[in-house]
Amino acid sequence: MKNKLKVLRAMQDLTQQELADKIQVSRQTINTIEKGKYIPSTLLALKMAAVFQVNVLEIFEIEESDWSKN
């Protein structure tokens, strides 16, 4: 799953730690999400969308390969 988290953070001049604090996760969680190594829960994705005041689909994009995963 692709994401635009890093771009959105930069646009709002937020560090990984600042975003993590806002949504009550670790900085490492933000880092792994940005790198595509971790797919956040629905609740976490909704919290991020609320912080950036965008729709979840403006942060995350399903890739073709995601359709074949269980």
Side-chain angles (χ1 to χ4, degrees), residues 34-46:
E34 285 185 1
K35 290 182 177 183
K37 294 181 180 181
Y38 175 71
I39 298 172
S41 67
T42 304
L43 179 59
L44 191 52
L46 288 169

Side-chain angles (χ1 to χ4, degrees), residues 4-51:
K4 298 176 182 152
L5 196 53
K6 189 172 185 175
V7 172
L8 290 167
R9 275 195 316 99
M11 289 171 61
Q12 291 198 9
D13 199 28
L14 283 175
T15 66
Q16 286 182 344
Q17 187 62 58
E18 289 167 335
L19 177 58
D21 292 344
K22 286 180 181 282
I23 60 174
Q24 301 175 320
V25 297
S26 70
R27 185 202 58 78
Q28 290 84 356
T29 297
I30 301 301
N31 184 269
T32 57
I33 293 170
E34 285 185 1
K35 290 182 177 183
K37 294 181 180 181
Y38 175 71
I39 298 172
S41 67
T42 304
L43 179 59
L44 191 52
L46 288 169
K47 286 181 178 181
M48 287 184 228
V51 167

Side-chain angles (χ1 to χ4, degrees), residues 34-68:
E34 285 185 1
K35 290 182 177 183
K37 294 181 180 181
Y38 175 71
I39 298 172
S41 67
T42 304
L43 179 59
L44 191 52
L46 288 169
K47 286 181 178 181
M48 287 184 228
V51 167
F52 295 114
Q53 298 181 331
V54 298
N55 185 296
V56 171
L57 293 174
E58 292 179 57
I59 303 174
F60 299 98
E61 180 184 332
I62 298 173
E63 295 181 282
E64 190 67 34
S65 61
D66 294 324
W67 289 102
S68 61

